[in-house]
Amino acid sequence: MSTFLLVHGAWHDGRCWERVVPLLTAAGHRVFTPSLTGYGDTAHLAGPEVGLDTHVDDIVALILDQGLTEVILVGHSYAGLVISSVANDVPDRIAQLVYLDAMVPEDGETAVDVMPVTQHLIDLALRSESGWRVPPPPEMPPPAGLFGVTDPDDVAWLRTMLSDQPVNCLRQPVRLNEPAARRIPRTHIHCTVLPEGFVRRPVPGIQPDGTPARVWELATGHDCMITTPAELAALLLRLT
């Protein structure tokens, strides 16, 4: 039995994994899908003080409180930043890191360093009435849709779990100064249906642990846990 900890990306909450969880548990594995502070059932806690560090603390606390070890830690999108710092804080608890169509930072980087277009979102938030809210992007024509989701029923469901992202999530840097964290194996899963003009940071051919990069692909849009849950679960099960 393996333990999966699936961390949602910006604007989402833990419900986005609902179609994947039964497929992993049916194979005998434990699965945790927390909602980060400011999302889902903690949406009322969102505020200017919430940031990347808050979300790292969320996941570290869950791991320690539940006594989890040998965790397969999966981060979607923005959560690539979260899982990187989590691994830095508790490397002895993490068996594998999975970057699911995710930001993959170096030490000291912010979301802007990984994805420069993020600076535009920060600027808009700082000039807004709240001074900190980053609203979800609008739905676009297919194939971009809403985070790559185009089915009307799925889009409607996805909208029920979206909320604003605190701007500090995009401004706080990751911490990657623990040598033990560099020895954790990594897997990268890329969704290949991309918005027009999107440029992904290349995955280095050699990973921090010294092994060749492992990059898998899913022929779908960004929210693959909604559009292709069976295919995603099949890839994750290859790690067990």
Side-chain angles (χ1 to χ4, degrees), residues 119-152:
Q119 184 63 54
H120 176 64
L121 301 179
I122 293 173
D123 294 341
L124 289 176
L126 295 178
R127 294 197 301 264
S128 70
E129 181 178 354
S130 71
W132 62 271
R133 290 184 179 274
V134 181
E139 183 179 357
M140 304 293 288
L146 185 62
F147 296 104
V149 178
T150 57
D151 178 87

PDB file of all heavy atoms in Angstrom, residues 119-152:
ATOM      1  N   GLN A 119       3.438  37.719 -13.300  1.00  0.00           N
ATOM      2  CA  GLN A 119       3.613  39.090 -12.825  1.00  0.00           C
ATOM      3  C   GLN A 119       2.397  39.954 -13.155  1.00  0.00           C
ATOM      4  O   GLN A 119       2.015  40.841 -12.379  1.00  0.00           O
ATOM      5  CB  GLN A 119       4.870  39.704 -13.439  1.00  0.00           C
ATOM      6  CG  GLN A 119       5.183  41.101 -12.932  1.00  0.00           C
ATOM      7  CD  GLN A 119       5.487  41.119 -11.440  1.00  0.00           C
ATOM      8  OE1 GLN A 119       6.348  40.382 -10.969  1.00  0.00           O
ATOM      9  NE2 GLN A 119       4.769  41.949 -10.691  1.00  0.00           N
ATOM     10  N   HIS A 120       1.775  39.690 -14.295  1.00  0.00           N
ATOM     11  CA  HIS A 120       0.583  40.454 -14.683  1.00  0.00           C
ATOM     12  C   HIS A 120      -0.545  40.254 -13.667  1.00  0.00           C
ATOM     13  O   HIS A 120      -1.251  41.206 -13.309  1.00  0.00           O
ATOM     14  CB  HIS A 120       0.126  40.024 -16.076  1.00  0.00           C
ATOM     15  CG  HIS A 120      -1.142  40.682 -16.538  1.00  0.00           C
ATOM     16  ND1 HIS A 120      -1.243  42.039 -16.751  1.00  0.00           N
ATOM     17  CD2 HIS A 120      -2.376  40.159 -16.801  1.00  0.00           C
ATOM     18  CE1 HIS A 120      -2.469  42.330 -17.138  1.00  0.00           C
ATOM     19  NE2 HIS A 120      -3.177  41.220 -17.178  1.00  0.00           N
ATOM     20  N   LEU A 121      -0.703  39.018 -13.192  1.00  0.00           N
ATOM     21  CA  LEU A 121      -1.735  38.739 -12.190  1.00  0.00           C
ATOM     22  C   LEU A 121      -1.440  39.460 -10.880  1.00  0.00           C
ATOM     23  O   LEU A 121      -2.351  39.971 -10.210  1.00  0.00           O
ATOM     24  CB  LEU A 121      -1.840  37.239 -11.951  1.00  0.00           C
ATOM     25  CG  LEU A 121      -2.169  36.367 -13.164  1.00  0.00           C
ATOM     26  CD1 LEU A 121      -2.213  34.900 -12.763  1.00  0.00           C
ATOM     27  CD2 LEU A 121      -3.494  36.790 -13.787  1.00  0.00           C
ATOM     28  N   ILE A 122      -0.178  39.508 -10.517  1.00  0.00           N
ATOM     29  CA  ILE A 122       0.212  40.203  -9.292  1.00  0.00           C
ATOM     30  C   ILE A 122      -0.092  41.691  -9.409  1.00  0.00           C
ATOM     31  O   ILE A 122      -0.663  42.306  -8.492  1.00  0.00           O
ATOM     32  CB  ILE A 122       1.710  39.975  -9.003  1.00  0.00           C
ATOM     33  CG1 ILE A 122       1.968  38.502  -8.657  1.00  0.00           C
ATOM     34  CG2 ILE A 122       2.195  40.888  -7.881  1.00  0.00           C
ATOM     35  CD1 ILE A 122       3.431  38.151  -8.512  1.00  0.00           C
ATOM     36  N   ASP A 123       0.273  42.258 -10.534  1.00  0.00           N
ATOM     37  CA  ASP A 123       0.041  43.690 -10.727  1.00  0.00           C
ATOM     38  C   ASP A 123      -1.449  44.030 -10.641  1.00  0.00           C
ATOM     39  O   ASP A 123      -1.838  45.025 -10.013  1.00  0.00           O
ATOM     40  CB  ASP A 123       0.598  44.132 -12.077  1.00  0.00           C
ATOM     41  CG  ASP A 123       2.122  44.033 -12.143  1.00  0.00           C
ATOM     42  OD1 ASP A 123       2.757  43.973 -11.073  1.00  0.00           O
ATOM     43  OD2 ASP A 123       2.660  43.999 -13.269  1.00  0.00           O
ATOM     44  N   LEU A 124      -2.278  43.196 -11.263  1.00  0.00           N
ATOM     45  CA  LEU A 124      -3.714  43.435 -11.220  1.00  0.00           C
ATOM     46  C   LEU A 124      -4.250  43.334  -9.796  1.00  0.00           C
ATOM     47  O   LEU A 124      -5.086  44.143  -9.369  1.00  0.00           O
ATOM     48  CB  LEU A 124      -4.440  42.444 -12.126  1.00  0.00           C
ATOM     49  CG  LEU A 124      -4.265  42.625 -13.631  1.00  0.00           C
ATOM     50  CD1 LEU A 124      -4.980  41.510 -14.387  1.00  0.00           C
ATOM     51  CD2 LEU A 124      -4.781  43.986 -14.078  1.00  0.00           C
ATOM     52  N   ALA A 125      -3.766  42.340  -9.051  1.00  0.00           N
ATOM     53  CA  ALA A 125      -4.239  42.161  -7.674  1.00  0.00           C
ATOM     54  C   ALA A 125      -3.848  43.348  -6.804  1.00  0.00           C
ATOM     55  O   ALA A 125      -4.652  43.835  -5.994  1.00  0.00           O
ATOM     56  CB  ALA A 125      -3.667  40.870  -7.097  1.00  0.00           C
ATOM     57  N   LEU A 126      -2.621  43.823  -6.946  1.00  0.00           N
ATOM     58  CA  LEU A 126      -2.159  44.919  -6.109  1.00  0.00           C
ATOM     59  C   LEU A 126      -2.896  46.219  -6.418  1.00  0.00           C
ATOM     60  O   LEU A 126      -3.035  47.075  -5.542  1.00  0.00           O
ATOM     61  CB  LEU A 126      -0.648  45.106  -6.289  1.00  0.00           C
ATOM     62  CG  LEU A 126       0.231  43.940  -5.817  1.00  0.00           C
ATOM     63  CD1 LEU A 126       1.697  44.224  -6.104  1.00  0.00           C
ATOM     64  CD2 LEU A 126       0.021  43.659  -4.334  1.00  0.00           C
ATOM     65  N   ARG A 127      -3.384  46.354  -7.650  1.00  0.00           N
ATOM     66  CA  ARG A 127      -4.124  47.560  -8.026  1.00  0.00           C
ATOM     67  C   ARG A 127      -5.631  47.435  -7.779  1.00  0.00           C
ATOM     68  O   ARG A 127      -6.374  48.398  -7.948  1.00  0.00           O
ATOM     69  CB  ARG A 127      -3.886  47.886  -9.509  1.00  0.00           C
ATOM     70  CG  ARG A 127      -2.460  48.289  -9.840  1.00  0.00           C
ATOM     71  CD  ARG A 127      -2.400  48.991 -11.190  1.00  0.00           C
ATOM     72  NE  ARG A 127      -2.895  48.160 -12.268  1.00  0.00           N
ATOM     73  CZ  ARG A 127      -2.118  47.416 -13.064  1.00  0.00           C
ATOM     74  NH1 ARG A 127      -0.798  47.408 -12.870  1.00  0.00           N
ATOM     75  NH2 ARG A 127      -2.632  46.703 -14.042  1.00  0.00           N
ATOM     76  N   SER A 128      -6.064  46.235  -7.399  1.00  0.00           N
ATOM     77  CA  SER A 128      -7.493  45.996  -7.217  1.00  0.00           C
ATOM     78  C   SER A 128      -7.986  46.607  -5.918  1.00  0.00           C
ATOM     79  O   SER A 128      -7.204  47.042  -5.061  1.00  0.00           O
ATOM     80  CB  SER A 128      -7.781  44.495  -7.218  1.00  0.00           C
ATOM     81  OG  SER A 128      -7.263  43.883  -6.046  1.00  0.00           O
ATOM     82  N   GLU A 129      -9.297  46.594  -5.743  1.00  0.00           N
ATOM     83  CA  GLU A 129      -9.899  47.148  -4.526  1.00  0.00           C
ATOM     84  C   GLU A 129      -9.410  46.426  -3.282  1.00  0.00           C
ATOM     85  O   GLU A 129      -9.162  47.046  -2.243  1.00  0.00           O
ATOM     86  CB  GLU A 129     -11.419  47.059  -4.628  1.00  0.00           C
ATOM     87  CG  GLU A 129     -12.150  47.639  -3.426  1.00  0.00           C
ATOM     88  CD  GLU A 129     -13.659  47.570  -3.577  1.00  0.00           C
ATOM     89  OE1 GLU A 129     -14.135  47.181  -4.665  1.00  0.00           O
ATOM     90  OE2 GLU A 129     -14.362  47.905  -2.613  1.00  0.00           O
ATOM     91  N   SER A 130      -9.263  45.103  -3.360  1.00  0.00           N
ATOM     92  CA  SER A 130      -8.827  44.328  -2.201  1.00  0.00           C
ATOM     93  C   SER A 130      -7.339  44.483  -1.941  1.00  0.00           C
ATOM     94  O   SER A 130      -6.884  44.443  -0.797  1.00  0.00           O
ATOM     95  CB  SER A 130      -9.147  42.847  -2.399  1.00  0.00           C
ATOM     96  OG  SER A 130      -8.288  42.281  -3.391  1.00  0.00           O
ATOM     97  N   GLY A 131      -6.568  44.610  -3.013  1.00  0.00           N
ATOM     98  CA  GLY A 131      -5.120  44.691  -2.886  1.00  0.00           C
ATOM     99  C   GLY A 131      -4.426  43.350  -2.778  1.00  0.00           C
ATOM    100  O   GLY A 131      -3.190  43.298  -2.706  1.00  0.00           O
ATOM    101  N   TRP A 132      -5.218  42.246  -2.811  1.00  0.00           N
ATOM    102  CA  TRP A 132      -4.575  40.936  -2.654  1.00  0.00           C
ATOM    103  C   TRP A 132      -5.256  39.807  -3.413  1.00  0.00           C
ATOM    104  O   TRP A 132      -4.678  38.729  -3.587  1.00  0.00           O
ATOM    105  CB  TRP A 132      -4.491  40.537  -1.179  1.00  0.00           C
ATOM    106  CG  TRP A 132      -5.830  40.395  -0.503  1.00  0.00           C
ATOM    107  CD1 TRP A 132      -6.520  41.367   0.127  1.00  0.00           C
ATOM    108  CD2 TRP A 132      -6.632  39.206  -0.390  1.00  0.00           C
ATOM    109  NE1 TRP A 132      -7.717  40.877   0.627  1.00  0.00           N
ATOM    110  CE2 TRP A 132      -7.803  39.548   0.322  1.00  0.00           C
ATOM    111  CE3 TRP A 132      -6.470  37.898  -0.826  1.00  0.00           C
ATOM    112  CZ2 TRP A 132      -8.807  38.629   0.607  1.00  0.00           C
ATOM    113  CZ3 TRP A 132      -7.474  36.966  -0.544  1.00  0.00           C
ATOM    114  CH2 TRP A 132      -8.616  37.336   0.167  1.00  0.00           C
ATOM    115  N   ARG A 133      -6.454  40.006  -3.883  1.00  0.00           N
ATOM    116  CA  ARG A 133      -7.189  38.907  -4.530  1.00  0.00           C
ATOM    117  C   ARG A 133      -6.773  38.736  -5.996  1.00  0.00           C
ATOM    118  O   ARG A 133      -6.745  39.714  -6.751  1.00  0.00           O
ATOM    119  CB  ARG A 133      -8.693  39.164  -4.472  1.00  0.00           C
ATOM    120  CG  ARG A 133      -9.300  39.039  -3.088  1.00  0.00           C
ATOM    121  CD  ARG A 133     -10.804  39.225  -3.142  1.00  0.00           C
ATOM    122  NE  ARG A 133     -11.426  39.086  -1.844  1.00  0.00           N
ATOM    123  CZ  ARG A 133     -11.809  37.922  -1.323  1.00  0.00           C
ATOM    124  NH1 ARG A 133     -11.645  36.799  -2.020  1.00  0.00           N
ATOM    125  NH2 ARG A 133     -12.367  37.857  -0.137  1.00  0.00           N
ATOM    126  N   VAL A 134      -6.490  37.489  -6.376  1.00  0.00           N
ATOM    127  CA  VAL A 134      -6.234  37.132  -7.776  1.00  0.00           C
ATOM    128  C   VAL A 134      -7.388  36.236  -8.220  1.00  0.00           C
ATOM    129  O   VAL A 134      -7.462  35.066  -7.829  1.00  0.00           O
ATOM    130  CB  VAL A 134      -4.902  36.377  -7.945  1.00  0.00           C
ATOM    131  CG1 VAL A 134      -4.665  36.051  -9.420  1.00  0.00           C
ATOM    132  CG2 VAL A 134      -3.746  37.198  -7.383  1.00  0.00           C
ATOM    133  N   PRO A 135      -8.322  36.742  -9.015  1.00  0.00           N
ATOM    134  CA  PRO A 135      -9.481  35.933  -9.410  1.00  0.00           C
ATOM    135  C   PRO A 135      -9.097  34.858 -10.428  1.00  0.00           C
ATOM    136  O   PRO A 135      -8.087  34.983 -11.126  1.00  0.00           O
ATOM    137  CB  PRO A 135     -10.433  36.960 -10.024  1.00  0.00           C
ATOM    138  CG  PRO A 135      -9.540  38.045 -10.511  1.00  0.00           C
ATOM    139  CD  PRO A 135      -8.388  38.111  -9.548  1.00  0.00           C
ATOM    140  N   PRO A 136      -9.903  33.805 -10.536  1.00  0.00           N
ATOM    141  CA  PRO A 136      -9.642  32.775 -11.548  1.00  0.00           C
ATOM    142  C   PRO A 136      -9.713  33.376 -12.948  1.00  0.00           C
ATOM    143  O   PRO A 136     -10.428  34.357 -13.180  1.00  0.00           O
ATOM    144  CB  PRO A 136     -10.773  31.757 -11.331  1.00  0.00           C
ATOM    145  CG  PRO A 136     -11.296  32.040  -9.967  1.00  0.00           C
ATOM    146  CD  PRO A 136     -11.091  33.495  -9.720  1.00  0.00           C
ATOM    147  N   PRO A 137      -8.978  32.801 -13.888  1.00  0.00           N
ATOM    148  CA  PRO A 137      -9.044  33.297 -15.259  1.00  0.00           C
ATOM    149  C   PRO A 137     -10.404  32.996 -15.876  1.00  0.00           C
ATOM    150  O   PRO A 137     -11.108  32.077 -15.442  1.00  0.00           O
ATOM    151  CB  PRO A 137      -7.938  32.523 -15.975  1.00  0.00           C
ATOM    152  CG  PRO A 137      -7.792  31.268 -15.184  1.00  0.00           C
ATOM    153  CD  PRO A 137      -8.060  31.656 -13.759  1.00  0.00           C
ATOM    154  N   PRO A 138     -10.793  33.742 -16.895  1.00  0.00           N
ATOM    155  CA  PRO A 138     -12.091  33.490 -17.539  1.00  0.00           C
ATOM    156  C   PRO A 138     -12.039  32.241 -18.411  1.00  0.00           C
ATOM    157  O   PRO A 138     -10.970  31.803 -18.840  1.00  0.00           O
ATOM    158  CB  PRO A 138     -12.297  34.752 -18.387  1.00  0.00           C
ATOM    159  CG  PRO A 138     -10.903  35.202 -18.707  1.00  0.00           C
ATOM    160  CD  PRO A 138     -10.088  34.890 -17.483  1.00  0.00           C
ATOM    161  N   GLU A 139     -13.221  31.706 -18.672  1.00  0.00           N
ATOM    162  CA  GLU A 139     -13.317  30.583 -19.605  1.00  0.00           C
ATOM    163  C   GLU A 139     -13.028  31.079 -21.016  1.00  0.00           C
ATOM    164  O   GLU A 139     -13.487  32.144 -21.424  1.00  0.00           O
ATOM    165  CB  GLU A 139     -14.712  29.963 -19.543  1.00  0.00           C
ATOM    166  CG  GLU A 139     -14.881  28.738 -20.431  1.00  0.00           C
ATOM    167  CD  GLU A 139     -16.263  28.132 -20.314  1.00  0.00           C
ATOM    168  OE1 GLU A 139     -17.068  28.641 -19.502  1.00  0.00           O
ATOM    169  OE2 GLU A 139     -16.541  27.154 -21.041  1.00  0.00           O
ATOM    170  N   MET A 140     -12.262  30.285 -21.758  1.00  0.00           N
ATOM    171  CA  MET A 140     -11.877  30.614 -23.119  1.00  0.00           C
ATOM    172  C   MET A 140     -12.536  29.635 -24.081  1.00  0.00           C
ATOM    173  O   MET A 140     -12.999  28.559 -23.681  1.00  0.00           O
ATOM    174  CB  MET A 140     -10.354  30.565 -23.262  1.00  0.00           C
ATOM    175  CG  MET A 140      -9.606  31.467 -22.295  1.00  0.00           C
ATOM    176  SD  MET A 140      -9.890  33.223 -22.602  1.00  0.00           S
ATOM    177  CE  MET A 140      -8.947  33.403 -24.114  1.00  0.00           C
ATOM    178  N   PRO A 141     -12.568  29.953 -25.376  1.00  0.00           N
ATOM    179  CA  PRO A 141     -13.092  28.988 -26.350  1.00  0.00           C
ATOM    180  C   PRO A 141     -12.250  27.714 -26.339  1.00  0.00           C
ATOM    181  O   PRO A 141     -11.060  27.758 -26.029  1.00  0.00           O
ATOM    182  CB  PRO A 141     -12.968  29.729 -27.683  1.00  0.00           C
ATOM    183  CG  PRO A 141     -12.894  31.176 -27.324  1.00  0.00           C
ATOM    184  CD  PRO A 141     -12.186  31.231 -26.008  1.00  0.00           C
ATOM    185  N   PRO A 142     -12.841  26.566 -26.705  1.00  0.00           N
ATOM    186  CA  PRO A 142     -12.070  25.334 -26.796  1.00  0.00           C
ATOM    187  C   PRO A 142     -10.903  25.515 -27.768  1.00  0.00           C
ATOM    188  O   PRO A 142     -11.013  26.293 -28.727  1.00  0.00           O
ATOM    189  CB  PRO A 142     -13.083  24.313 -27.327  1.00  0.00           C
ATOM    190  CG  PRO A 142     -14.417  24.873 -26.927  1.00  0.00           C
ATOM    191  CD  PRO A 142     -14.249  26.372 -27.018  1.00  0.00           C
ATOM    192  N   PRO A 143      -9.768  24.839 -27.530  1.00  0.00           N
ATOM    193  CA  PRO A 143      -9.584  23.809 -26.502  1.00  0.00           C
ATOM    194  C   PRO A 143      -9.151  24.331 -25.136  1.00  0.00           C
ATOM    195  O   PRO A 143      -8.982  23.544 -24.213  1.00  0.00           O
ATOM    196  CB  PRO A 143      -8.471  22.951 -27.102  1.00  0.00           C
ATOM    197  CG  PRO A 143      -7.628  23.931 -27.854  1.00  0.00           C
ATOM    198  CD  PRO A 143      -8.591  24.937 -28.425  1.00  0.00           C
ATOM    199  N   ALA A 144      -8.948  25.644 -25.004  1.00  0.00           N
ATOM    200  CA  ALA A 144      -8.463  26.167 -23.726  1.00  0.00           C
ATOM    201  C   ALA A 144      -9.506  26.003 -22.625  1.00  0.00           C
ATOM    202  O   ALA A 144      -9.201  25.552 -21.519  1.00  0.00           O
ATOM    203  CB  ALA A 144      -8.073  27.632 -23.877  1.00  0.00           C
ATOM    204  N   GLY A 145     -10.758  26.357 -22.920  1.00  0.00           N
ATOM    205  CA  GLY A 145     -11.829  26.185 -21.951  1.00  0.00           C
ATOM    206  C   GLY A 145     -11.523  26.871 -20.632  1.00  0.00           C
ATOM    207  O   GLY A 145     -10.929  27.949 -20.572  1.00  0.00           O
ATOM    208  N   LEU A 146     -11.917  26.241 -19.546  1.00  0.00           N
ATOM    209  CA  LEU A 146     -11.631  26.707 -18.190  1.00  0.00           C
ATOM    210  C   LEU A 146     -10.626  25.741 -17.588  1.00  0.00           C
ATOM    211  O   LEU A 146     -10.965  24.614 -17.235  1.00  0.00           O
ATOM    212  CB  LEU A 146     -12.915  26.748 -17.357  1.00  0.00           C
ATOM    213  CG  LEU A 146     -12.794  27.325 -15.941  1.00  0.00           C
ATOM    214  CD1 LEU A 146     -12.343  28.789 -15.986  1.00  0.00           C
ATOM    215  CD2 LEU A 146     -14.112  27.186 -15.183  1.00  0.00           C
ATOM    216  N   PHE A 147      -9.378  26.131 -17.547  1.00  0.00           N
ATOM    217  CA  PHE A 147      -8.289  25.252 -17.117  1.00  0.00           C
ATOM    218  C   PHE A 147      -8.244  23.975 -17.964  1.00  0.00           C
ATOM    219  O   PHE A 147      -7.948  22.898 -17.456  1.00  0.00           O
ATOM    220  CB  PHE A 147      -8.419  24.901 -15.633  1.00  0.00           C
ATOM    221  CG  PHE A 147      -8.301  26.081 -14.720  1.00  0.00           C
ATOM    222  CD1 PHE A 147      -9.427  26.630 -14.133  1.00  0.00           C
ATOM    223  CD2 PHE A 147      -7.067  26.657 -14.447  1.00  0.00           C
ATOM    224  CE1 PHE A 147      -9.335  27.744 -13.288  1.00  0.00           C
ATOM    225  CE2 PHE A 147      -6.965  27.762 -13.610  1.00  0.00           C
ATOM    226  CZ  PHE A 147      -8.092  28.300 -13.036  1.00  0.00           C
ATOM    227  N   GLY A 148      -8.588  24.100 -19.238  1.00  0.00           N
ATOM    228  CA  GLY A 148      -8.564  22.948 -20.125  1.00  0.00           C
ATOM    229  C   GLY A 148      -9.815  22.099 -20.070  1.00  0.00           C
ATOM    230  O   GLY A 148      -9.899  21.087 -20.772  1.00  0.00           O
ATOM    231  N   VAL A 149     -10.781  22.481 -19.275  1.00  0.00           N
ATOM    232  CA  VAL A 149     -12.055  21.765 -19.169  1.00  0.00           C
ATOM    233  C   VAL A 149     -13.042  22.426 -20.132  1.00  0.00           C
ATOM    234  O   VAL A 149     -13.245  23.642 -20.068  1.00  0.00           O
ATOM    235  CB  VAL A 149     -12.593  21.800 -17.731  1.00  0.00           C
ATOM    236  CG1 VAL A 149     -13.945  21.085 -17.648  1.00  0.00           C
ATOM    237  CG2 VAL A 149     -11.586  21.176 -16.768  1.00  0.00           C
ATOM    238  N   THR A 150     -13.651  21.627 -21.005  1.00  0.00           N
ATOM    239  CA  THR A 150     -14.556  22.189 -22.012  1.00  0.00           C
ATOM    240  C   THR A 150     -15.963  21.622 -21.952  1.00  0.00           C
ATOM    241  O   THR A 150     -16.900  22.244 -22.459  1.00  0.00           O
ATOM    242  CB  THR A 150     -13.990  21.946 -23.426  1.00  0.00           C
ATOM    243  OG1 THR A 150     -13.777  20.542 -23.626  1.00  0.00           O
ATOM    244  CG2 THR A 150     -12.666  22.682 -23.622  1.00  0.00           C
ATOM    245  N   ASP A 151     -16.160  20.441 -21.366  1.00  0.00           N
ATOM    246  CA  ASP A 151     -17.499  19.882 -21.251  1.00  0.00           C
ATOM    247  C   ASP A 151     -18.345  20.795 -20.362  1.00  0.00           C
ATOM    248  O   ASP A 151     -17.931  21.129 -19.236  1.00  0.00           O
ATOM    249  CB  ASP A 151     -17.437  18.475 -20.652  1.00  0.00           C
ATOM    250  CG  ASP A 151     -18.809  17.868 -20.465  1.00  0.00           C
ATOM    251  OD1 ASP A 151     -19.323  17.251 -21.415  1.00  0.00           O
ATOM    252  OD2 ASP A 151     -19.393  18.049 -19.372  1.00  0.00           O
ATOM    253  N   PRO A 152     -19.542  21.218 -20.814  1.00  0.00           N
ATOM    254  CA  PRO A 152     -20.335  22.170 -20.031  1.00  0.00           C
ATOM    255  C   PRO A 152     -20.649  21.705 -18.620  1.00  0.00           C
ATOM    256  O   PRO A 152     -20.614  22.506 -17.671  1.00  0.00           O
ATOM    257  CB  PRO A 152     -21.607  22.334 -20.865  1.00  0.00           C
ATOM    258  CG  PRO A 152     -21.186  22.016 -22.268  1.00  0.00           C
ATOM    259  CD  PRO A 152     -20.151  20.942 -22.134  1.00  0.00           C
TER     260      PRO A 152
END
